[in-house]
Amino acid sequence: MVKNAKKIWLINPAAMPPDYEVRIQTLKRAQYLRYHGYDVTIIGGSFLHNLNKNLIESKSPFLIKEYEDNCNFIHIRNSNYSGNGLKRILSIIEFYLRLWWYAGVKKKFGKPDYISHLAAVPFGNLTYFIAKKLKSKFIVDVVDLWPESFLAYGLVREKNLFLKLAYSAEKWLYDRADLLIFSMEGGKDYIKEKGWSLEQGGTIDLKKVFYINNGVDLIDFDKNKSTFVLKDPHLDDENIFKVTYLGSIRLANNLMRLIEAAEHLKDHKDIKFLIFGDGEDRSKLENYCYSNNLNNVIFKQKWVELKYVPSILSRSSLNILNYKPSKLFRFGASQSKSFQYMASGKPICANVEMNYCPIKKYGLGISKDFKDSKSYADAILSFYEMDQNEYKTICENSRKAALHYDYKSLTEKFIDLLNKL
């Protein structure tokens, strides 16, 4: 550790230790901050959401642990839960109350120069009081537009009192940030759309608003691609055109649209749709494919270790981003897997229209809100029938685009912003 190194906390209640983590932004930012001489501690909850595992089985309020490569964690004890109901909300509240008490009031964890907090409105707003108490610079990372996403997906109505209160809490948090970083490129558009900027008579200075997206670690990706090869007969078959989806199978992913597109292509025996992932919609979709004899759709592993992802994507022919159309995409997108798709050097087909679209910007494939499943199927078929030189160019574009989202360079952007505080 560098003598008199600047100390920074990365607070993310969902952060997991290296052996378990799949959403790696926090881990990678910590890794490359350490590389540049920062003293980094990740603070996360003890309950590992997707694994139903709690790292603290005793009554201890927190656990301080160092993992390999000087990866320092403080796990704040929070209760187990399942789904997205009341127990999950109470578990999140529990995390922030204990964090506020032990980090801010009791000062058990020392004093950082910077606190970088993953926005979790309204419960995470307590983090501001910790930063104020410790006289730390306060950075707010926005990776999801909440509560805007509730409105966009029709979960609440625009005049809902809860929604209005949540917007007020969101603005309150953004006001108090020394630095406000959005993972979607249209963050400033969002602030202006709400009328919150100084220029509009609001209180948020757009000069403190920046954009750093999610990304991919290209060194790890390339190493894992050759080291951890998933054995799979379809991925190994060079005689089929592999259309691959990897990710959650839930409401927001709207995977039925992809299944309907596959149905139009079932007579193309050498086109196979490979689906890796799990979620509440998986069994329903499996039953649909079985009932309709869709033998061209093959459901694969429900859970794929992150180290096997490069092997899967790189052996695909076309990688799919599939979502429920949403007004949220007017601000851009920050899907972690899209950058792994780029690193694989294969074309991407997305069924949504988005602003600040890297697929269009860098020529990586197709991104379009298809009018129906036949149009979606035709787009997928266009890659199958594509001239090999054109296909090769798209593959090269994908890999080149990944260089813009390498976590090493993204962290350097983050450090540049720290230096300006």
Side-chain angles (χ1 to χ4, degrees), residues 183-364:
S183 65
M184 61 291 300
E185 197 166 350
K188 288 185 178 180
D189 298 341
Y190 179 73
I191 298 294
K192 289 188 283 188
E193 186 176 290
K194 296 299 179 192
W196 293 345
S197 72
L198 287 176
E199 292 81 359
Q200 297 166 293
T203 55
I204 299 177
D205 187 351
L206 292 179
K207 292 180 181 177
K208 73 174 184 181
V209 180
F210 295 89
Y211 157 68
I212 300 178
N213 215 320
N214 286 310
V216 60
D217 190 313
L218 292 176
I219 293 176
D220 284 355
F221 188 96
D222 292 341
K223 178 182 177 182
N224 290 341
K225 182 175 70 173
S226 57
T227 305
F228 300 102
V229 179
L230 185 72
K231 293 181 180 179
D232 184 277
H234 296 100
L235 290 173
D236 291 336
D237 191 344
E238 296 182 357
N239 295 316
I240 61 174
F241 188 86
K242 297 169 279 286
V243 181
T244 303
Y245 173 86
L246 192 153
S248 297
I249 307 176
R250 296 185 171 91
L251 171 68
N253 306 103
N254 194 30
L255 215 59
M256 189 64 193
R257 292 304 304 272
L258 181 63
I259 302 297
E260 290 169 349
E263 200 163 2
H264 289 286
L265 299 174
K266 63 182 179 181
D267 292 334
H268 291 269
K269 302 301 182 184
D270 53 350
I271 299 179
K272 300 294 183 184
F273 289 75
L274 311 181
I275 298 178
F276 294 84
D278 196 14
E280 56 263 25
D281 287 351
R282 174 163 171 148
S283 59
K284 179 180 70 176
L285 295 176
E286 285 182 301
N287 289 335
Y288 179 88
C289 292
Y290 177 79
S291 299
N292 290 276
N293 295 316
L294 294 185
N295 298 320
N296 60 335
V297 180
I298 301 141
F299 284 84
K300 296 290 187 177
Q301 286 93 325
K302 291 183 177 181
W303 175 260
V304 178
E305 286 187 71
L306 190 62
K307 63 186 181 183
Y308 289 109
V309 169
S311 164
I312 294 170
L313 299 179
S314 300
R315 291 146 71 200
S316 176
S317 309
L318 174 66
N319 292 319
I320 296 290
L321 285 176
N322 195 96
Y323 292 95
K324 186 180 180 67
S326 167
K327 292 181 179 179
L328 284 176
F329 289 114
R330 68 191 185 277
F331 304 115
S334 58
Q335 306 96 337
S336 296
K337 64 185 174 187
S338 65
F339 308 109
Q340 294 173 317
Y341 283 13
M342 293 178 198
S344 74
K346 294 299 172 70
I348 301 171
C349 184
N351 73 325
V352 290
E353 196 81 37
M354 63 185 88
N355 288 335
Y356 306 102
C357 180
I359 297 173
K360 293 180 180 178
K361 180 178 180 179
Y362 297 111
L364 314 182

Side-chain angles (χ1 to χ4, degrees), residues 4 87 92 145 160 249 321 325 352 364 393:
N4 299 320
K87 284 188 176 181
I92 294 172
L145 287 176
N160 186 290
I249 307 176
L321 285 176
V352 290
L364 314 182
T393 297

